[in-house]
């Protein structure tokens, strides 16, 4: 009996790594059929999975996912430390065991959330244009400057004053969730049930790595970096919920974060949204034409520039030499998951913003 169990155990250890091959083939086959992903997974299976995990973990005030990640890291390091000699003597066994973990991770990741990377693009759902010309980007930038300046004056009554947000981060969470309910009346695909928003326990580390927030695909918890300036916090929160409702592409969740925040009846949230969209448009212009960028910057109220300076100082305070390495890893991860532009996909939101506002003018 003991020999039988041992043989069965070895067969499993050998078979699970080999399952990576058919898994990858199936995922790539599905990736070429976004209509199947959209109909059966993103708007079907995933909705039930995500609702289950949000119901299971949403009431807990801290992140279960981050605790699990921490335990996995501790257990892994402890195992390597205690078994280092055995690993050196039997490296192939260690590689096999590592592939077992990777195979399980790959399957679980795609089942619980990852297939959303291959769903129907958001621009088709919104029925907007995907690409924008440089002139259209400049036109939207002008409109956003006017809107952002007007909101800044409305909030401060002085074009030179910085906008200070009067909300706690918990209040931002509540107002963002409430606004998803309102936005879902116009865009039903953004319906959000069972809140599962968490303040990240690793906010300082996230800041050093340049992370504003992330979705844990295994617990469906949206972790938000609490070090993020309040000026930017509402859009980041709405962005992470965008991942929870089933959108993986960063440019798409950037647009969702903008739409939800911009449609909030609170003027502070509207200001956060328009300043956010404006920053992306200005960056796009800066990469193309610095003279035009400088001309646009002169139009901005000093108070708006002060908010941008606040954000810049935050990033500078958390600069570290390892961030480019993490960015490179994340870039590779995004490219492996159907985002061919990698980290540049965040900036692709500019084209979606133009398309959105051509259909829904400011």
């Amino acid at each position: 009996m003991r020999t039988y169990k041992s043989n069965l155990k070895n067969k499993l250890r050998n078979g699970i790594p080999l399952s990576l091959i058919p898994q990858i083939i199936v995922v790539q086959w599905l990736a070429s059929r976004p209509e199947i992903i959209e109909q059966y997974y993103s708007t079907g299976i995933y909705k039930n999975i995500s609702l289950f995990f949000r119901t299971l973990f949403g009431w807990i005030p801290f992140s279960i996912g981050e605790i699990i990640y921490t335990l996995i890291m501790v257990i892994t390091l402890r195992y390597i430390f205690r078994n280092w000699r055995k690993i050196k003597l039997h490296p192939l066994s260690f590689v096999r065991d590592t592939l077992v973990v990777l195979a399980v991770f790959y399957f679980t990741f795609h089942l619980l959330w990852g297939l959303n990377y291959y769903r129907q693009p958001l621009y088709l759902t919104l029925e907007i244009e995907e690409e924008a010309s440089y002139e259209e980007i400049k036109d939207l930038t002008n409109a956003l400057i006017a809107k952002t300046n007007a909101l800044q004056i409305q909030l401060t009554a002085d074009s030179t004053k910085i906008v200070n947000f009067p909300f706690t981060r918990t209040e931002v969470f509540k107002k963002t969730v409430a606004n998803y309910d309102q936005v879902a009346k116009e865009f039903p695909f953004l319906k959000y049930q069972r809140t599962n928003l968490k303040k990240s326990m690793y906010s300082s580390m996230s800041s050093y790595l340049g992370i504003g927030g992330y979705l844990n695909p295994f617990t469906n918890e949206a972790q938000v970096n609490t070090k993020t300036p309040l000026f930017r916090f509402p859009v980041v929160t709405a962005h992470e919920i965008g991942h929870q409702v089933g959108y993986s592409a960063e440019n798409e969740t950037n647009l969702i974060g903008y739409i939800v925040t911009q449609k909030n009846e609170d003027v502070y949230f509207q200001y956060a949204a328009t300043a956010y969209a404006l920053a992306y448009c200005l960056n796009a212009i800066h990469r193309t034409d610095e003279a035009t960028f400088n001309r646009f910057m002169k139009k901005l109220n000093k108070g708006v520039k002060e908010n941008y300076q606040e954000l810049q100082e935050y990033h500078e305070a958390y600069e570290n030499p390892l961030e480019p390495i993490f960015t490179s890893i994340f870039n590779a991860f995004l490219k492996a998951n159907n985002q061919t532009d990698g980290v540049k996909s965040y900036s692709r939101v500019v084209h979606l913003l133009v398309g959105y506002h051509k259909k829904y003018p400011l």
Side-chain angles (χ1 to χ4, degrees):
M1 179 63 72
R2 184 176 296 177
T3 303
Y4 172 76
K5 287 183 177 180
S6 178
N7 289 337
L8 182 61
K9 190 175 181 180
N10 281 327
K11 285 181 180 179
L12 282 173
R13 284 185 173 178
N14 292 329
I16 292 174
L18 292 175
S19 73
L20 266 172
I21 297 172
Q23 284 187 61
I24 292 171
I25 291 172
V26 170
V27 168
Q28 292 305 308
W29 182 83
L30 288 170
S32 64
R33 292 161 176 80
E35 68 284 352
I36 293 178
I37 296 290
E38 184 73 21
Q39 181 177 354
Y40 296 105
Y41 179 78
S42 296
T43 61
I45 296 170
Y46 171 74
K47 282 192 174 295
N48 293 318
I49 290 173
S50 61
L51 184 59
F52 169 77
F53 280 108
R54 290 203 296 273
T55 303
L56 184 64
F57 297 122
W59 61 276
I60 301 173
F62 52 85
S63 173
I64 295 298
E66 290 189 330
I67 291 175
I68 292 172
Y69 281 164
T70 303
L71 289 174
I72 289 173
M73 182 63 69
V74 170
I75 291 170
T76 300
L77 292 175
R78 182 173 177 270
Y79 173 83
I80 292 174
F81 178 77
R82 295 186 64 178
N83 295 276
W84 182 242
R85 289 185 178 179
K86 182 180 177 181
I87 291 170
K88 288 202 301 182
L89 287 172
H90 305 284
L92 291 180
S93 294
F94 178 70
V95 170
R96 181 190 62 182
D97 291 344
T98 300
L99 289 174
V100 168
V101 174
L102 286 175
V104 173
F105 171 87
Y106 189 86
F107 175 81
T108 309
F109 171 76
H110 284 96
L111 174 65
L112 298 184
W113 184 69
L115 285 177
N116 285 314
Y117 277 111
Y118 310 103
R119 71 181 300 178
Q120 175 179 288
L122 180 60
Y123 77 90
L124 293 177
T125 304
L126 286 170
E127 296 180 337
I128 62 175
E129 295 178 15
E130 181 188 19
E131 296 290 335
S133 69
Y134 181 54
E135 289 302 316
E136 288 174 327
I137 293 173
K138 288 198 297 182
D139 289 343
L140 178 60
T141 304
N142 258 322
L144 286 169
I145 288 173
K147 181 73 172 179
T148 306
N149 282 344
L151 290 170
Q152 184 269 334
I153 291 175
Q154 184 178 346
L155 290 169
T156 64
D158 185 339
S159 65
T160 66
K161 286 185 178 179
I162 191 172
V163 174
N164 292 307
F165 275 63
F167 309 111
T168 66
R169 298 180 192 279
T170 299
E171 288 171 336
V172 170
F173 279 178
K174 290 179 179 178
K175 290 173 75 69
T176 301
V177 170
N179 209 57
Y180 259 90
D181 291 337
Q182 295 301 313
V183 172
K185 294 175 182 177
E186 183 177 0
F187 302 118
F189 60 89
L190 292 180
K191 185 178 181 181
Y192 180 58
Q193 297 174 285
R194 303 291 183 181
T195 305
N196 197 10
L197 273 171
K198 307 292 176 70
K199 296 176 183 178
S200 176
M201 296 187 294
Y202 295 111
S203 289
S204 292
M205 184 176 72
S206 293
S207 296
Y208 281 113
L209 294 174
I211 300 172
Y214 67 96
L215 175 71
N216 187 315
F218 306 105
T219 61
N220 213 259
E221 293 170 297
Q223 279 82 197
V224 188
N225 180 350
T226 56
K227 299 294 183 182
T228 304
L230 277 167
F231 162 63
R232 183 53 56 85
F233 199 73
V235 186
V236 173
T237 300
H239 171 112
E240 297 309 325
I241 295 177
H243 284 312
Q244 283 184 306
V245 298
Y247 285 89
S248 301
E250 298 300 338
N251 61 327
E252 295 182 348
T253 45
N254 276 352
L255 179 65
I256 290 170
Y258 166 76
I259 291 172
V260 172
T261 309
Q262 191 259 344
K263 284 183 174 291
N264 197 303
E265 60 185 27
D266 191 290
V267 180
Y268 283 97
F269 277 65
Q270 294 172 24
Y271 175 72
T274 54
Y276 173 83
L278 175 58
Y280 270 106
C281 289
L282 286 171
N283 284 335
I285 290 170
H286 184 264
R287 290 193 298 269
T288 304
D289 184 351
E290 192 166 347
T292 301
F293 167 79
N294 291 332
R295 189 165 65 251
F296 278 142
M297 287 298 293
K298 289 178 181 178
K299 296 180 180 182
L300 271 182
N301 288 351
K302 183 180 178 182
V304 178
K305 293 178 182 178
E306 290 291 326
N307 277 120
Y308 285 149
Q309 182 61 31
E310 175 190 18
L311 197 61
Q312 179 65 27
E313 289 173 358
Y314 157 73
H315 288 303
E316 290 175 354
Y318 287 98
E319 278 186 343
N320 79 93
L322 297 180
E323 184 178 344
I325 297 174
F326 173 78
T327 301
S328 178
I329 294 171
F330 187 50
N331 185 62
F333 171 80
L334 291 176
K335 287 184 176 181
N337 285 282
N338 205 39
Q339 296 190 60
T340 54
D341 290 330
V343 292
K344 292 180 181 179
S345 62
Y346 282 85
S347 300
R348 291 285 301 171
V349 71
V350 172
H351 294 268
L352 294 179
L353 284 166
V354 171
Y356 175 77
H357 279 302
K358 284 176 74 173
K359 185 173 181 179
Y360 304 99
L362 272 170

